[in-house]
């Protein structure tokens, strides 16, 4: 187990270094970070002072080393647009993305696992056909189409004078609760990952139902419901748990499309706004944060899975 941990952590560190360097290169090639200043301040002296202040006069490799060192110390710098510390921007929106990720994952897990178990249990029946067909249809719909459809059809609906989903964009001075802001983005993200959970659960159920211990349980006279939900479903959920960890890592990184559609104040919306403003430091930090979260969660999922199943430790 010790060698497996060393290998897995080493791979995670390597992935983080490579992806963070790629993010730095991509952000550098995005465009002029000071174009918002205006033509009157574009003289050579001003540009040279700005480049020196923000370290843009250094070669790319040394800027990368400075960026890694700043990430390690927690000094994320300031954004170009408002001159606010980036750490304040991240801490203000990260809890919203964390709440959104957990809610979307709960939707995927509850509905996806339930439908997958039923589809596997009722294999080759009309119920199985309806669930699998619905999953394929849902998978074929792009995520932004689902989000835009919900935004255009559900928001601004009034029920006895109460608006459960306020209009987007928000009216000035309109106060909303965190649940109102969270509901539609979470449903959209949950529907986006629901299909994979259904398909994986169904396939895992079909494999488990062919196992010898399931046939033994049935031979002992156990009811079909007890065989399915006490013996088969428990073992079928092992690969689903690993998929959920991967989905959680991806969701915690922030969903740019969904958060932008619903103007949800999370990491994805912060990244999209920074792209419009050409705000290089914020773009880079959010991208690095997203990669770190995804890689760390995936690494922890691999370690837990290897601890449960020793066969995975062998390369």
């Amino acid at each position: 187990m010790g060698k497996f941990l060393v290998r897995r952590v080493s791979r995670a560190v390597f992935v983080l270094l490579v992806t963070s360097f790629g993010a730095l290169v991509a952000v550098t090639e995005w465009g002029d970070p000071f174009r918002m200043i205006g033509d009157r301040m574009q003289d050579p002296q001003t540009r040279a002072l700005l480049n020196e202040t923000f370290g843009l006069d250094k070669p790319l490799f040394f800027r990368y080393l400075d960026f890694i060192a700043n990430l390690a110390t927690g000094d994320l710098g300031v954004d170009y647009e408002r001159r606010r510390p980036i750490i304040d921007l991240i801490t203000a929106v990260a809890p919203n993305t964390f709440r959104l990720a957990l809610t979307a994952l709960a939707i995927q897990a509850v509905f996806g696992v339930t439908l997958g178990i039923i589809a596997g249990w009722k294999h080759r029946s009309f119920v199985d056909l309806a669930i699998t067909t619905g999953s394929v249809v849902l998978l074929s719909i792009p995520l932004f189409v689902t989000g835009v459809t919900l935004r255009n059809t559900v928001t601004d609906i009034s029920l006895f004078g109460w608006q459960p989903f306020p209009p987007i964009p928000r009216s000035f001075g309109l106060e909303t609760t965190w649940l109102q802001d969270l509901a539609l983005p979470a449903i959209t993200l949950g529907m986006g990952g629901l299909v994979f959970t259904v398909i994986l659960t169904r396939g895992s159920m079909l494999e488990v139902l062919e196992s010898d211990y399931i046939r033994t349980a049935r031979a002992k006279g156990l009811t079909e419901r007890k065989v399915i939900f006490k013996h088969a479903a428990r073992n079928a959920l092992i690969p689903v748990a690993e998929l959920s960890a991967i989905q959680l890592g991806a969701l915690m990184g922030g969903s740019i499309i969904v958060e932008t559609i619903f103007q949800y104040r999370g990491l994805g919306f912060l990244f999209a706004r920074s792209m419009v403003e050409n705000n290089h430091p914020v773009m880079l930090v959010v991208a690095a944060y997203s990669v770190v979260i995804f890689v760390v969660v995936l690494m922890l999922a691999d370690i837990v899975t290897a601890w449960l199943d020793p066969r995975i430790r062998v390369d």
Side-chain angles (χ1 to χ4, degrees), residues 124-202:
R124 295 179 180 176
S125 66
F126 175 77
V127 175
D128 181 25
L129 179 62
I131 292 176
T132 53
T133 303
S135 300
V136 173
V137 172
L138 185 61
L139 181 62
S140 64
I141 302 176
L143 189 63
F144 75 91
V145 173
T146 303
V148 171
T149 302
L150 287 177
R151 186 191 65 182
N152 294 339
T153 57
V154 178
T155 58
D156 205 16
I157 294 179
S158 179
L159 298 175
F160 305 103
W162 176 63
Q163 289 183 320
F165 307 111
I168 298 174
R170 299 282 190 262
S171 302
F172 180 77
L174 178 64
E175 295 185 359
T176 58
T177 64
W178 65 268
L179 184 58
Q180 289 177 303
D181 295 331
L182 176 69
L184 290 182
I187 292 173
T188 304
L189 280 178
M191 292 175 61
L194 177 68
V195 178
F196 301 101
T197 304
V198 171
I199 294 175
L200 183 60
T201 305
R202 177 182 179 275

Side-chain angles (χ1 to χ4, degrees), residues 2-137:
K3 293 182 179 179
F4 175 82
L5 289 176
V6 172
R7 290 196 303 268
R8 193 61 188 85
V9 172
S10 300
R11 293 173 185 172
V13 172
F14 176 76
V15 171
L16 291 176
L17 293 176
V18 172
T19 52
S20 59
F21 181 76
L24 178 62
V25 173
V27 169
T28 302
E29 297 298 327
W30 185 257
D32 182 9
F34 301 116
R35 66 185 180 187
M36 75 288 291
I37 295 178
D39 296 334
R40 291 181 298 177
M41 297 183 65
Q42 295 301 320
D43 59 277
Q45 292 80 8
T46 302
R47 294 305 302 268
L49 178 61
L50 289 172
N51 290 334
E52 181 181 359
T53 301
F54 292 98
L56 299 180
D57 57 338
K58 298 179 181 179
L60 180 63
F61 178 73
F62 290 101
R63 277 188 284 152
Y64 173 70
L65 294 180
D66 290 340
F67 174 67
I68 295 299
N70 292 336
L71 285 180
T73 58
D75 181 14
L76 305 181
V78 297
D79 73 308
Y80 292 161
E81 181 72 13
R82 301 167 187 81
R83 300 298 190 268
R84 288 182 56 189
I86 297 179
I87 186 64
D88 293 344
L89 300 177
I90 297 295
T91 54
V93 299
N96 296 334
T97 295
F98 182 70
R99 186 185 299 120
L100 175 62
L102 289 180
T103 307
L105 185 64
I107 294 174
Q108 295 175 13
V110 172
F111 291 97
V113 168
T114 302
L115 293 175
I117 290 176
I118 294 175
W121 180 18
K122 303 296 183 179
H123 181 47
R124 295 179 180 176
S125 66
F126 175 77
V127 175
D128 181 25
L129 179 62
I131 292 176
T132 53
T133 303
S135 300
V136 173
V137 172

